[in-house]
């Protein structure tokens, strides 16, 4: 029986996946590295440095570790500037309603995100108080598809993995949930998430009772 739901943040609850795309695009243009939505798709769900490595696959030169750190910091600066424009209206369809419906049913909720910016984002879209707990990029050392993030979420909300369902928009996140022994619901385009047993367009397309039928 599902007693807790773990939500990825970027691209599941908030439109920040698009802002990540814009931040990487600006960096890629400055560095003259080819970049498009297909590359960005592979950056979904994984950590900042891992995302940079995906971008640099298309680069014609190699970068030192110090250069890579500086580039990641630069992209984060562009991204954080874009986060300043975020308002509660940037919550994805059905997200706020789903969190409220789950709370009403006594289901525990947790954010399971790779982002170090998660607290700022939750605050800007006014969702901080809508979830019971948050695990973010500052709490984990291994990027999804490693299950570390989701296993820590389960511990924080004091449930076993089998009692948790993960909601994810990234293939790396779906894999992490399966590796953690959790049920998983994919968000977005089903063709992009071949390993997710169930996929819906957004959280508006499913109600809380359906969601909990893992
Ligand atoms: C999320 C996003 C990724 C991003 C990661 C780190 O998982 O889906 O695209 O790379 O967070 O985000 P940060 O805000 O710490 O750079
Ligand atoms: Mg995501």
């Amino acid at each position: 029986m599902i007693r807790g739901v773990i939500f990825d943040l970027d691209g599941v609850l908030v439109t920040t996946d698009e802002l990540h795309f814009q931040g990487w695009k600006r960096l890629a243009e400055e560095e003259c590295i080819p970049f498009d939505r297909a590359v960005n798709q592979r950056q979904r769900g994984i950590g900042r440095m891992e995302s940079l490595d995906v971008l640099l696959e298309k680069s014609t030169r190699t970068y030192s570790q110090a250069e890579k750190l500086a580039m990641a910091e630069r992209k984060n600066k562009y991204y954080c500037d874009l986060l300043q424009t975020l308002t509660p209206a940037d919550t994805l369809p059905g997200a706020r309603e789903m969190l409220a419906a789950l709370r009403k049913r006594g289901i525990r909720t947790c954010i399971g995100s790779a982002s170090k910016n998660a607290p700022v984002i939750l605050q800007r879209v006014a969702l901080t108080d809508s979830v019971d707990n948050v695990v973010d990029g500052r709490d984990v050392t291994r990027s999804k598809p490693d299950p570390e993030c989701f296993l820590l979420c389960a511990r924080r909300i004091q449930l076993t993995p089998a009692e948790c369902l993960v909601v994810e928009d990234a293939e790396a996140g779906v894999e992490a949930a399966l590796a953690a022994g959790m049920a998983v619901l994919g968000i977005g385009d089903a063709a992009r998430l071949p390993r997710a047993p169930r996929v819906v367009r957004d959280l508006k397309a499913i109600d809380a009772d359906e969601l909990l039928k893992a």
Side-chain angles (χ1 to χ4, degrees), residues 87-154:
T87 73
D90 296 306
T91 305
L92 280 161
R96 200 176 297 276
E97 294 79 0
M98 181 61 80
L99 290 170
L102 292 174
R103 183 160 280 176
K104 219 168 137 191
R105 283 166 177 74
I107 300 292
R108 297 176 207 172
T109 58
C110 190
I111 300 291
S113 171
S115 175
K116 294 188 164 81
N117 294 298
V120 170
I121 295 168
L122 288 168
Q123 211 162 15
R124 286 214 65 96
V125 299
L127 281 180
T128 309
D129 298 331
S130 304
V131 289
D132 296 331
N133 221 310
V134 179
V135 170
D136 63 42
R138 301 161 315 159
D139 299 314
V140 291
T141 53
R142 294 186 297 277
S143 176
K144 301 171 188 174
D146 190 284
E148 182 188 12
C149 171
F150 294 143
L151 291 173
L152 181 56
C153 289

Side-chain angles (χ1 to χ4, degrees), residues 29-103:
E29 280 168 4
E30 287 170 355
E31 296 291 325
C32 297
I33 301 169
F35 179 71
D36 57 21
R37 296 222 174 241
V39 176
N40 178 239
Q41 195 57 44
R42 292 178 44 229
Q43 294 176 310
R44 270 180 200 264
I46 61 175
R48 195 180 301 166
M49 292 308 289
E50 289 82 1
S51 293
L52 177 66
D53 284 337
V54 170
L55 174 75
L56 295 184
E57 283 172 16
K58 293 248 169 81
S59 169
T60 49
R61 57 162 286 205
T62 52
Y63 293 85
S64 69
Q65 191 55 22
E67 283 176 312
K68 282 173 58 167
L69 285 170
M71 284 167 86
E73 209 169 294
R74 220 160 93 213
K75 181 270 171 178
N76 190 52
K77 160 89 176 57
Y78 302 155
Y79 177 65
C80 287
D81 287 348
L82 294 168
L83 288 182
Q84 297 305 311
T85 66
L86 214 60
T87 73
D90 296 306
T91 305
L92 280 161
R96 200 176 297 276
E97 294 79 0
M98 181 61 80
L99 290 170
L102 292 174
R103 183 160 280 176

Side-chain angles (χ1 to χ4, degrees), residues 141-198:
T141 53
R142 294 186 297 277
S143 176
K144 301 171 188 174
D146 190 284
E148 182 188 12
C149 171
F150 294 143
L151 291 173
L152 181 56
C153 289
R155 277 209 297 281
R156 290 252 175 103
I157 54 175
Q158 295 176 300
L159 295 174
T160 65
E163 291 172 317
C164 296
L165 169 97
V166 171
V167 186
E168 258 291 351
D169 70 312
E171 187 61 1
V174 169
E175 280 177 35
L178 296 173
M182 298 177 182
V184 55
L185 174 77
I187 293 286
D189 180 0
R192 285 200 296 98
L193 299 173
R195 297 203 55 206
R198 289 194 298 170

